[in-house]
């Protein structure tokens, strides 16, 4: 059975580059300062797993964690 994924953005590391939002708009939202946070509870819908890993790999601040449940 495939594992479920969740994304989490470390607010102390995020500097507002918004690469994650550009690469995976379904998984991330931006606050009024342009800093990212996970959409909803961070659950990654089926079929978007590659986007979660891509966003993590492209974060210049290494602020995104992908959690396998």
């Amino acid at each position: 059975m495939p594992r479920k994924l969740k994304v989490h953005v470390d607010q102390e590391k995020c500097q507002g580059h918004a690469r994650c939002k550009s690469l995976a708009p379904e998984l991330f939202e931006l606050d009024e300062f342009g800093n990212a946070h996970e959409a909803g509870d961070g659950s990654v819908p089926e079929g978007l797993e590659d986007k979660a890993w891509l966003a993590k790999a492209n974060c210049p601040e290494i602020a995104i964690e992908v959690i396998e449940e």
Side-chain angles (χ1 to χ4, degrees):
M1 182 172 191
R3 290 185 165 170
K4 299 277 184 185
L5 296 182
K6 278 192 164 189
V7 292
H8 173 72
V9 180
D10 184 332
Q11 295 301 301
E12 292 185 20
K13 292 181 180 178
C14 181
Q15 296 293 307
H17 297 282
R19 289 185 188 177
C20 57
K21 178 72 173 168
S22 295
L23 294 169
E26 308 89 343
L27 303 178
F28 300 94
E29 296 176 357
L30 302 178
D31 66 15
E32 63 272 16
F33 303 108
N35 292 324
H37 59 91
E38 55 276 1
D41 69 355
S43 294
V44 177
E46 188 174 332
L48 296 179
E49 298 88 355
D50 287 346
K51 283 190 171 188
W53 292 111
L54 183 64
K56 175 184 170 132
N58 281 275
C59 179
E61 304 301 332
I62 313 171
I64 299 172
E65 181 180 10
V66 177
I67 304 155
E68 296 185 57
E69 297 184 327

